[in-house]
Amino acid sequence: MPSEQCAYNVPMALDPQTSRTQGLQPSLALARCKSHMQDARRFTLGPMPVEAFMDTFLQVACTDRDDFLSPRNAFNAVPERADSDAGIYEPLFLALCKGTKHKSRCPGLVFEETIKRSTRPSRLGYAKPHICCFTPKHSEIVDRADMTLRMELGYAEFIIQVARDPSFDYFVDPDPGADEDTLAAHNFVRSVTNDHSHDKDVARAFGLHLSFVTEIFARQNRLFLFTVSLAGSLARLCRWDRSGCVVSQAFNIRERPHLLAEFAWRFSKLTNAERGHDLTIRMASPPEEKLFHDTIKGYVRDQLDADNVELEKALSTHYQPGHVAVVPVHPQDSPEESTQHFLVSRPVVSPLSLDGRCTRGYWSVDMSTKRVCFLKDTWRTYARIGSEGETLRNLNNLGVRNIPSLAIYGDVLEGPDGTAQDTQTDQFVDEPWARRIDGKDVIVHRRRHYRLVTHTVGYGLQDLRGTEELLHATYDAFVAMQDALAKDRRLHRDVSIGNIILVKEPDRPIRRGYLIDWDASIRVDKKGAALQEGRAGTWSFLSIRMLDLSHAERKHTFEDDMESLLYVVLYCALLYLPHRLTKKTLTFLYRGFFDELHDVGETVYGGVGKNANSANRIWTRRVHFSSPALQEWLDTVMNYHSPQIQDREKYKGMWEPDKLDAFWSSFLETHELERDNRTVNKLSMVSHYDPDSPPTDPPTPLSPSPIPYADFTSSSSDIDPDEGPERKRSRLDYAQSARPRSPAPARGSRAAPPTDVPLRRSQRIRAQQNVSKTAASAAPAPPAGPSALRKRGATSARSRGRGRGRSRK
């Protein structure tokens, strides 16, 4: 068993409004699965020959195979196809657990049927992997944990996900005897629609696999991950990293059992680093954890003027007891300087995408200075000239206002020779076995693990307290935009709600706005246009011009950033300030204005709603804000940007940086703005619900976890008891939720819009019945002991072969 220590079970970012895990609402699982599947078509390479897959990714130095269990007839009990997934994973689990006193399938590791630890296994949002591989220690931790938690994904070494029929395989291998022309035209990914029940089963099966991979990356510090996908008795091996995925050829485990047996045995011989873990991070000692807790708590108190219960709740978004880690950052700009170490706990941003930058952002504590900092752990584009750290350092030196103060940055290095952590999927793009997807060659880019630390730490713009803070903070961001252009000829190109933070400072009563995340920034030419063509930024806030069909040939300008800032103010006003719109009308406006997306062939575009609004205010004219000053500001700035016919002469030539600055600065000086009129306006997410999930009873309450130490628990369940659809979805709703995710990378820490999800009628009835029963009961029943939660099979057999699964009562 590997001796290196890993930091498992990373806390997930919380929604500060609900204190639930951010971005993993169970009722929206289908929408996430479809989004992941759409993304996977961009970055999946295959089918790689199975032997080459293992020789490339699972090289083992061990020559002693005395503990290798013979694969002969190992998986004959697994049928070619079955009536249910259980018909595949149950005999597979028994076969994997088989062993003798000295031999087993995966020596030193154990398998668990983790699907049976799901409270609602048939619903996508509550499902867990069919089979997980753990270390024995972690298996015990998971076994004792509350089943409503998703701790399995925080400790899994690899997973096996099953579909009941070979036709549910998401991938299609070419005929071995195909000629070159046929191979060149072959499409590796199955075409899936939403109109056929079989296609929907295929999409749900592999979409769930993708969701589990995404969540494992979010709940662990990983560089890459192995998984196994089974469709009936056909298996594929997969290797995932932040560039994409390499998928093996399919093989029948009944006919070629040695391949799966070899994979499991080789995996058991890998070190933690070879299994994909990031060994640069270690768990903090108790004194280090106390330093983090006390320092962060003091900073939260100063920023929010909070105390007691409010302070503890605010602290929980940055700190989870027992889960403080030490993260090193190597100085890239000054190699002669020593590595600095930072304490982190719960991130404010968790990576919920499979590929790309996959940023994890933390409030951190510098161990040498005891100062609170912001640590950004991300995967930068390897080929990009100039990193965000270099950009920030230059902007700081030029005196650009209202941007983060740089502390340190550098690539993540590992091992005694200081090797950089890079992705590997990109190395196989030109392999002869790599097939096309959707008629196109798959293009995968190399990425490098990177960390950046700044001294500027604050709260997201979505935490604004009122109109005053919104307009002052966004004006601060506008000042930063102007300074960067004037002093460095640089555009930000990703002005969004997630890239403006609020920081309380002693010299002003209103929190200052800082424009962060300069990773997408670019310099401009003499005409003020970006040096490179193409779209960049967060989809909801892109300008009309950059959302257009011809975006690929267009260059970003400062006016595009100004328009994005206007949309940030409107977005915040609609979701966090008082107005008269109903939830239904607000949701309709939000989707038509901010979320609209269309595709024509290979081109994705939007902006139709924004363009229509610029012409006749078709969306915003129905909004009446309670703040007259806010209404005046929005009406005026929208007229600056796109005046109505009757006002074109009056506002002609007003959409210029200096004119907008003159209006905005004067407006803030002459208008009295509301300081504490925050109102959270929730959106309905009914159209994103899964129409095929069977109605099930809510999870049965369990006894408290018998684990006394907080390291093994989560501060918040991922289960949302209030999630449930209001009505059945129409075909139109289903089509809207199936739209592809924005091709423009969403950078920064944009929070999801607030949602309001009511209970089903049946859930309300059950809740009322439970209340009546509770009231009629004279005394509560004693809590069930640990043994009542679930019965275990032979505990010593999971790795030695005598186990026959587990049952639950």
Side-chain angles (χ1 to χ4, degrees):
M1 186 169 128
S3 59
E4 310 103 328
Q5 296 300 309
C6 304
Y8 287 88
N9 200 27
V10 178
M12 295 284 288
L14 295 182
D15 183 335
Q17 307 298 327
T18 63
S19 294
R20 296 189 179 103
T21 299
Q22 193 175 82
L24 292 179
Q25 298 93 322
S27 59
L28 304 181
L30 178 63
R32 290 195 298 274
C33 287
K34 293 164 109 175
S35 176
H36 293 322
M37 287 184 62
Q38 188 68 29
D39 289 345
R41 301 178 85 90
R42 291 186 290 100
F43 58 65
T44 302
L45 298 176
M48 187 177 190
V50 183
E51 292 84 354
F53 183 100
M54 287 194 281
D55 290 343
T56 302
F57 299 127
L58 292 97
Q59 298 179 11
V60 294
C62 178
T63 57
D64 182 2
R65 298 176 67 91
D66 290 345
D67 56 356
F68 178 73
L69 185 66
S70 171
R72 183 178 180 183
N73 300 325
F75 305 109
N76 280 1
V78 180
E80 296 278 355
R81 54 179 47 84
D83 294 332
S84 66
D85 294 343
I88 302 295
Y89 70 73
E90 287 182 346
L92 175 64
F93 172 70
L94 295 178
L96 290 170
C97 289
K98 185 178 180 181
T100 66
K101 184 176 181 181
H102 300 293
K103 302 179 184 233
S104 64
R105 293 278 169 238
C106 199
L109 298 172
V110 298
F111 294 97
E112 299 287 353
E113 288 180 289
T114 41
I115 183 64
K116 295 185 177 180
R117 286 185 48 81
S118 171
T119 55
R120 298 175 176 179
S122 58
R123 297 186 64 179
L124 292 181
Y126 299 87
K128 296 179 180 181
H130 290 118
I131 298 173
C132 283
C133 178
F134 300 106
T135 66
K137 173 185 175 181
H138 293 157
S139 176
E140 293 294 330
I141 293 172
V142 169
D143 186 50
R144 289 180 287 163
D146 190 323
M147 288 168 56
T148 59
L149 304 178
R150 300 181 67 78
M151 203 173 290
E152 298 84 356
L153 300 172
Y155 288 104
E157 297 295 338
F158 74 86
I159 66 170
I160 301 176
Q161 192 63 18
V162 164
R164 66 178 183 270
D165 193 280
S167 66
F168 287 3
D169 188 357
Y170 187 58
F171 302 102
V172 181
D173 290 350
D175 189 321
D179 57 35
E180 291 186 8
D181 292 339
T182 303
L183 288 175
H186 181 79
N187 190 30
F188 181 47
V189 173
R190 187 184 303 275
S191 297
V192 176
T193 67
N194 293 317
D195 298 327
H196 190 277
S197 60
H198 175 267
D199 286 347
K200 289 163 72 173
D201 287 338
V202 173
R204 291 165 66 89
F206 195 66
L208 198 56
H209 189 144
L210 293 166
S211 293
F212 293 145
V213 172
T214 304
E215 196 170 344
I216 289 173
F217 270 110
R219 294 184 182 274
Q220 298 185 29
N221 294 301
R222 277 194 171 271
L223 309 181
F224 57 89
L225 173 71
F226 292 103
T227 66
V228 180
S229 174
L230 258 76
S233 60
L234 290 182
R236 293 184 187 272
L237 309 179
C238 307
R239 182 193 181 276
W240 312 80
D241 63 25
R242 291 312 194 179
S243 277
C245 176
V246 176
V247 179
S248 79
Q249 292 175 339
F251 59 94
N252 194 314
I253 62 173
R254 294 166 54 87
E255 299 170 1
R256 305 170 72 189
H258 64 284
L259 293 177
L260 184 57
E262 181 72 12
F263 169 81
W265 182 82
R266 286 197 187 192
F267 187 89
S268 73
K269 303 303 178 184
L270 299 178
T271 65
N272 279 330
E274 292 167 338
R275 293 176 186 172
H277 294 284
D278 182 0
L279 301 185
T280 66
I281 299 176
R282 67 169 177 84
M283 297 303 295
S285 66
E288 290 169 339
E289 177 169 351
K290 184 178 186 304
L291 169 63
F292 177 86
H293 171 272
D294 294 347
T295 307
I296 294 294
K297 185 174 183 178
Y299 191 81
V300 171
R301 182 188 294 112
D302 292 341
Q303 284 290 306
L304 299 180
D305 294 323
D307 210 347
N308 301 325
V309 176
E310 183 183 353
L311 175 60
E312 291 302 321
K313 180 180 178 180
L315 178 64
S316 69
T317 63
H318 307 289
Y319 168 66
Q320 181 172 330
H323 287 271
V324 177
V326 179
V327 179
V329 180
H330 306 279
Q332 187 165 311
D333 55 343
S334 303
E336 68 280 359
E337 295 182 11
S338 60
T339 299
Q340 297 184 34
H341 294 82
F342 298 84
L343 298 168
V344 302
S345 183
R346 185 185 295 282
V348 295
V349 181
S350 292
L352 295 178
S353 60
L354 282 166
D355 72 322
R357 289 176 176 81
C358 303
T359 299
R360 188 183 271 123
Y362 299 93
W363 282 26
S364 64
V365 175
D366 187 327
M367 294 181 65
S368 60
T369 65
K370 314 299 188 291
R371 182 175 180 177
V372 175
C373 302
F374 186 82
L375 189 150
K376 179 178 179 180
D377 184 288
T378 188
W379 289 81
R380 68 177 181 87
T381 303
Y382 178 79
R384 181 177 173 85
I385 300 174
S387 66
E388 183 182 6
E390 293 169 327
T391 298
L392 266 183
R393 180 183 60 186
N394 188 48
L395 294 176
N396 285 162
N397 292 338
L398 291 172
V400 174
R401 293 168 289 176
N402 303 333
I403 65 168
S405 172
L406 179 66
I408 186 176
Y409 68 94
D411 295 330
V412 180
L413 307 178
E414 63 181 1
D417 57 347
T419 304
Q421 295 179 341
D422 291 348
T423 56
Q424 292 187 37
T425 301
D426 49 278
Q427 298 176 15
F428 303 94
V429 170
D430 297 324
E431 289 294 322
W433 46 259
R435 302 272 72 88
R436 293 160 67 89
I437 294 179
D438 297 332
K440 298 177 292 185
D441 292 332
V442 178
I443 305 299
V444 177
H445 298 288
R446 181 179 178 184
R447 291 188 175 275
R448 175 163 289 182
H449 200 186
Y450 178 81
R451 291 174 184 145
L452 178 144
V453 181
T454 67
H455 293 306
T456 307
V457 185
Y459 286 88
L461 187 59
Q462 67 272 10
D463 292 325
L464 61 92
R465 293 168 178 166
T467 302
E468 180 184 49
E469 198 162 64
L470 171 62
L471 293 183
H472 276 272
T474 47
Y475 177 71
D476 293 336
F478 185 50
V479 170
M481 291 161 52
Q482 293 182 92
D483 274 8
L485 182 65
K487 299 178 179 182
D488 196 35
R489 297 173 57 199
R490 183 173 294 276
L491 302 177
H492 187 277
R493 291 204 306 171
D494 191 14
V495 178
S496 61
I497 185 175
N499 288 338
I500 300 175
I501 62 171
L502 304 168
V503 181
K504 181 184 176 183
E505 296 177 348
D507 60 340
R508 53 185 280 173
I510 307 166
R511 288 187 288 184
R512 184 184 299 276
Y514 281 84
L515 185 59
I516 65 171
D517 199 347
W518 289 81
D519 190 42
S521 69
I522 192 171
R523 284 199 168 99
V524 299
D525 58 24
K526 294 180 179 180
K527 296 181 180 180
L531 293 178
Q532 293 179 355
E533 298 175 337
R535 179 190 290 155
T538 302
W539 185 263
S540 296
F541 306 101
L542 287 176
S543 67
I544 297 169
R545 208 174 64 89
M546 297 310 295
L547 287 171
D548 191 75
L549 271 169
S550 59
H551 71 88
E553 294 80 34
R554 292 183 172 176
K555 294 184 176 182
H556 209 100
T557 66
F558 190 80
E559 286 72 18
D560 292 313
D561 276 358
M562 288 169 56
E563 188 177 339
S564 294
L565 190 59
L566 166 60
Y567 297 146
V568 169
V569 175
L570 178 60
Y571 179 100
C572 291
L574 288 170
L575 295 181
Y576 303 112
L577 294 177
H579 52 69
R580 300 176 186 175
L581 294 183
T582 64
K583 182 175 71 174
K584 181 178 180 181
T585 304
L586 175 62
T587 304
F588 184 65
L589 188 158
Y590 176 88
R591 290 181 181 160
F593 195 95
F594 294 104
D595 246 10
E596 177 214 13
L597 184 148
H598 310 278
D599 52 42
V600 176
E602 299 178 7
T603 304
V604 180
Y605 72 96
V608 176
K610 290 177 180 175
N611 194 37
N613 194 73
S614 70
N616 56 24
R617 306 294 187 263
I618 188 173
W619 294 106
T620 56
R621 67 187 177 193
R622 69 186 69 189
V623 186
H624 300 284
F625 290 98
S626 299
S627 168
L630 174 63
Q631 189 76 55
E632 178 187 346
W633 187 95
L634 283 168
D635 290 342
T636 303
V637 176
M638 282 191 287
N639 281 329
Y640 273 36
H641 170 253
S642 52
Q644 301 295 277
I645 295 177
Q646 66 274 16
D647 296 322
R648 284 182 180 173
E649 284 301 318
K650 178 181 177 181
Y651 292 102
K652 184 178 180 180
M654 298 301 289
W655 192 239
E656 298 288 343
D658 56 339
K659 292 175 181 175
L660 178 59
D661 183 270
F663 162 75
W664 202 338
S665 59
S666 174
F667 185 91
L668 295 178
E669 292 176 359
T670 57
H671 287 68
E672 185 175 344
L673 304 175
E674 296 82 359
R675 179 162 294 185
D676 296 301
N677 64 331
R678 175 185 176 86
T679 303
V680 177
N681 304 299
K682 296 182 179 180
L683 300 176
S684 172
M685 302 300 288
V686 171
S687 64
H688 292 279
Y689 289 151
D690 180 1
D692 300 316
S693 282
T696 58
D697 291 332
T700 304
L702 299 176
S703 65
S705 170
I707 306 173
Y709 187 48
D711 183 25
F712 303 145
T713 62
S714 173
S715 64
S716 169
S717 172
D718 294 328
I719 304 301
D720 185 349
D722 295 330
E723 295 283 5
E726 296 175 329
R727 59 168 175 82
K728 291 184 178 179
R729 293 170 57 196
S730 66
R731 285 183 179 271
L732 176 60
D733 289 331
Y734 198 89
Q736 287 174 341
S737 68
R739 63 171 179 78
R741 201 172 61 173
S742 162
R747 304 176 180 88
S749 56
R750 175 191 166 193
T755 60
D756 185 14
V757 189
L759 291 169
R760 294 176 184 262
R761 180 175 179 273
S762 59
Q763 289 175 318
R764 295 197 300 270
I765 293 174
R766 284 195 294 268
Q768 292 171 356
Q769 292 172 342
N770 290 337
V771 170
S772 300
K773 290 178 182 179
T774 302
S777 178
S787 61
L789 297 183
R790 57 202 296 261
K791 275 191 175 182
R792 297 186 60 176
T795 58
S796 62
R798 288 174 297 169
S799 59
R800 295 192 293 273
R802 294 192 294 274
R804 292 296 181 267
R806 296 184 177 184
S807 62
R808 291 189 292 114
K809 287 188 177 180

